Amino acid sequence: MRNIIISNNPLVAEKYENVFFVDGSVEETLVKVRDLVYEGHELVSHPLAASLRVLFSPYRSVIVANQCEQLNFDHAEIIEGSICKYKKHMDVRKADEANSDDYKTVDLLLLQSALNDEKGKW
Amino acid sequence: MKLEIGRIFIKDIQLGSETSVKSGVLTVDESGLIAKLKEDERIKDVKIDVARPGEKVRIIPVKDVIEPRVKIEGGLNGFPGVTAKPAQCGEGRTQVLYGAAVVTVGDIVGFQEGVIDMWGEGAKWTPFSQTYNLTVDINVIDGIDPHTHEEIVRIAGLRAAEFIGQAGKDVTPDEVLTFEIGSVFEETAKYPNLPKVLYAEMMITQGLLHDTYIYGVNAQTILPAVLHPNEELDSAVISGNCVAACDKITTYQHQNNSVILDLYAEHGKEINFMGCIMAPEHTTLAGKFRVSDYTVKLAKLLGADAVVVSEEGYGNPDSDLLMICKKCEKAGIKTVLITDECAGRDGMSQPLADTAVEAVAVVSTGNVSHVITVEPAEKVIGKAESIAVLAGGWDGALAEDGTFQCELNAVIGSTSEIGFHNVTCRLY
């Protein structure tokens, strides 16, 4: 397995085998990603979404490399910065739970799109 | 490449039984347009309405805004590669119903926001409160998956703009703008002492509700591509993005890209404007490295002295913006970045998700976290329930009289990162 998906989205856990499922919040998911980055796993996908509305999603999936290498400082900076940004936004907002099912679907589809980008690579 | 844009000034829109422009009044054949759109059998229902500047009307959730146009000379009418066969955009004469806009409405997912208020406080923040809007509300048949749903609404909007644009075919325009730039060699020979400037336009290209198309090609699948600026001004670039309401580039904004227009205005005076690099924004870090390397390579290959870079969206695209900046500056190419800020309600926080010491020339297009208070509308076009998405962000956001608070983030085009918007800075 070349990659691991870190996710708190049950749809992602159902669909893929290489998932580390976080039974918790987006913040806890990002913290798990951070721990793995410090252990030497590189980020494959960026931890943040491309729009604020999706940042309010209660679900997030991030891809990291399965292989454990030396700590990549650039990646550590990206995940730390992402956690800071995420907390900054959510401190003043409620998670949008009313549209949970749609957020699950969009998180899954955006993840699939990132995985397609990774196809055919070793 | 030479393009003439003939602007026909539109002062009102009426629904009627024919599609025409007379004395600046655009009449739209409502049943003809509905029949045209329902040729797509996946569309169950179409509702057409009009929203005029100053009316107490709220449009929500907006998917895209499109400028109605007709090609009368050179190329093919419509949107080549999407509603028409493939053809070269950017040459000949295009007539524009200037001041009119097609606004597509339709909730593809429940959390969509994207509001246009035509009056009051809300209207101040969106450029599309000043246009005469023909709204096209699309309902699809049951059993359609989200990707197909998005495609149906996107294409219906383009087809509506094409249908209405026909009204300008035989009308003498009020104003004709000419856009002409020759090859890189010709322009450099003409202006040997002017700095050679490229425009790198970043586009969200990350999957459902986050896509951009060039000549109908999903830009997620391309390497950065060089476009003549006229191609974008002539409808080659289409938005498939409908979540980043404040800073997504609608199709209308691509057709009237302010960065291109401003660079054109300085061409031959202050700068030698050499063209656009269309840079996709990927979710993967590998994609971000590939695109930033390739963008810098194209800039070097064309001998650029400077690159103006505009972002689309917020969050992971901040990394792309700064990667392009760092790599260009390292290669001796100066950069100017255009981005909005996510700087907290008081505007005091670090504005981007990433930083770089090389980013010393940055134009801000506004703070997306700024909170505004808007009154209840007399009429809602679209889905009134979507207002709950806007008003439900925090406790106390919704008052008993229906007045509510939302962030600029929810307002279409409020912090446009290509500068097509109302927010500005003044020196005191």
Side-chain angles (χ1 to χ4, degrees), chain A residues 42-57 60 63 74-75 77-78 81-82 85-86 88-89 92-96 99 102-106 109-118 121, chain B residues 109-111 113 146-147 204 206-210 220 243-244 281-290 312-317 319 342-343 345 349-353 368-369 389-390 392-395 407 409:
Chain A
E42 289 204 331
L43 288 170
V44 174
S45 68
H46 197 288
L48 291 180
S51 68
L52 268 176
R53 181 43 69 179
V54 179
L55 201 70
F56 304 151
S57 166
R60 186 75 188 143
I63 313 167
D74 291 338
H75 290 205
E77 228 175 280
I78 290 172
S82 300
K85 267 288 161 194
Y86 180 76
K88 187 100 210 159
H89 289 295
V92 291
R93 284 197 75 100
K94 294 184 278 190
D96 185 358
N99 295 296
D102 281 345
Y103 277 119
K104 277 181 204 166
T105 307
V106 168
L109 291 171
L110 292 176
L111 173 73
Q112 279 173 349
S113 177
L115 289 169
N116 279 341
D117 222 31
E118 283 296 296
K121 290 177 194 160
Chain B
V109 290
F111 57 78
E113 46 191 14
H147 271 293
I204 295 187
Q206 307 198 345
L208 181 68
L209 312 179
H210 295 74
Q220 193 179 8
V243 276
E281 297 169 355
H282 295 284
T283 45
T284 58
L285 295 185
K288 292 179 186 303
F289 276 101
R290 185 171 67 238
E312 185 178 17
Y314 163 81
N316 77 55
S319 292
C342 218
R345 296 199 174 162
S349 306
Q350 150 72 27
L352 298 179
V368 308
S369 317
V389 174
L390 301 191
W394 54 89
D395 289 330
E407 292 162 343
N409 176 50

Side-chain angles (χ1 to χ4, degrees), chain B residues 157-173:
Chain B
L158 302 175
R159 292 182 77 220
E162 188 181 325
F163 179 88
I164 296 156
Q166 289 288 347
K169 200 174 169 191
D170 300 315
V171 179
T172 307

Side-chain angles (χ1 to χ4, degrees), chain B residues 232-291:
Chain B
E232 182 164 353
L233 295 179
D234 201 23
S235 305
V237 186
I238 285 154
S239 171
N241 171 12
C242 41
V243 276
C246 61
D247 52 19
K248 75 173 209 165
I249 309 171
T250 61
T251 301
Y252 190 106
Q253 289 164 306
H254 282 298
Q255 293 169 311
N256 293 277
N257 189 317
S258 307
V259 179
I260 292 180
L261 297 178
D262 285 357
L263 291 173
Y264 240 118
E266 294 304 322
H267 179 66
K269 296 177 195 160
E270 293 279 327
I271 57 162
N272 175 6
F273 179 25
M274 294 200 301
C276 309
I277 300 174
M278 307 304 289
E281 297 169 355
H282 295 284
T283 45
T284 58
L285 295 185
K288 292 179 186 303
F289 276 101
R290 185 171 67 238
V291 167

Side-chain angles (χ1 to χ4, degrees), chain B residues 136-399:
Chain B
V136 181
D137 187 352
I138 306 283
N139 274 304
V140 298
I141 57 171
D142 294 339
I144 297 280
D145 68 77
H147 271 293
T148 313
H149 189 167
E150 188 281 322
E151 178 193 294
I152 293 168
V153 182
R154 170 169 25 97
I155 291 176
L158 302 175
R159 292 182 77 220
E162 188 181 325
F163 179 88
I164 296 156
Q166 289 288 347
K169 200 174 169 191
D170 300 315
V171 179
T172 307
D174 296 285
E175 177 185 33
V176 177
L177 308 173
T178 303
F179 298 96
E180 185 171 16
I181 286 179
S183 76
V184 170
F185 302 105
E186 287 164 348
E187 299 299 320
T188 307
K190 266 199 267 182
Y191 310 113
N193 299 319
L194 293 181
K196 297 187 285 297
V197 177
L198 278 167
Y199 169 35
E201 181 177 357
M202 296 167 52
M203 311 162 286
I204 295 187
T205 53
Q206 307 198 345
L208 181 68
L209 312 179
H210 295 74
D211 280 320
T212 307
Y213 298 82
I214 305 174
Y215 289 107
V217 175
N218 184 341
Q220 193 179 8
T221 62
I222 67 165
L223 287 168
V226 176
L227 244 61
H228 190 289
N230 288 8
E231 295 179 86
E232 182 164 353
L233 295 179
D234 201 23
S235 305
V237 186
I238 285 154
S239 171
N241 171 12
C242 41
V243 276
C246 61
D247 52 19
K248 75 173 209 165
I249 309 171
T250 61
T251 301
Y252 190 106
Q253 289 164 306
H254 282 298
Q255 293 169 311
N256 293 277
N257 189 317
S258 307
V259 179
I260 292 180
L261 297 178
D262 285 357
L263 291 173
Y264 240 118
E266 294 304 322
H267 179 66
K269 296 177 195 160
E270 293 279 327
I271 57 162
N272 175 6
F273 179 25
M274 294 200 301
C276 309
I277 300 174
M278 307 304 289
E281 297 169 355
H282 295 284
T283 45
T284 58
L285 295 185
K288 292 179 186 303
F289 276 101
R290 185 171 67 238
V291 167
S292 52
D293 283 343
Y294 206 96
T295 301
V296 178
K297 183 216 63 187
L298 286 175
K300 287 203 287 199
L301 199 60
L302 290 163
D305 298 304
V307 181
V308 176
V309 193
S310 69
E311 186 179 350
E312 185 178 17
Y314 163 81
N316 77 55
D318 295 356
S319 292
D320 307 55
L321 179 77
L322 292 163
M323 278 185 194
I324 293 172
C325 168
K326 280 188 257 190
K327 290 176 185 178
C328 277
E329 294 280 347
K330 204 174 158 200
I333 299 168
K334 289 192 184 307
T335 53
V336 174
L337 312 182
I338 312 174
T339 176
D340 54 9
E341 300 184 48
C342 218
R345 296 199 174 162
D346 57 1
M348 298 299 282
S349 306
Q350 150 72 27
L352 298 179
D354 204 351
T355 54
V357 289
E358 293 85 352
V360 289
V362 184
V363 179
S364 165
T365 60
N367 180 13
V368 308
S369 317
H370 181 76
V371 175
I372 60 167
T373 305
V374 294
E375 300 165 53
E378 281 177 4
K379 176 178 167 185
V380 176
I381 295 176
K383 196 178 165 204
E385 298 94 294
S386 296
I387 293 168
V389 174
L390 301 191
W394 54 89
D395 289 330
L398 181 63

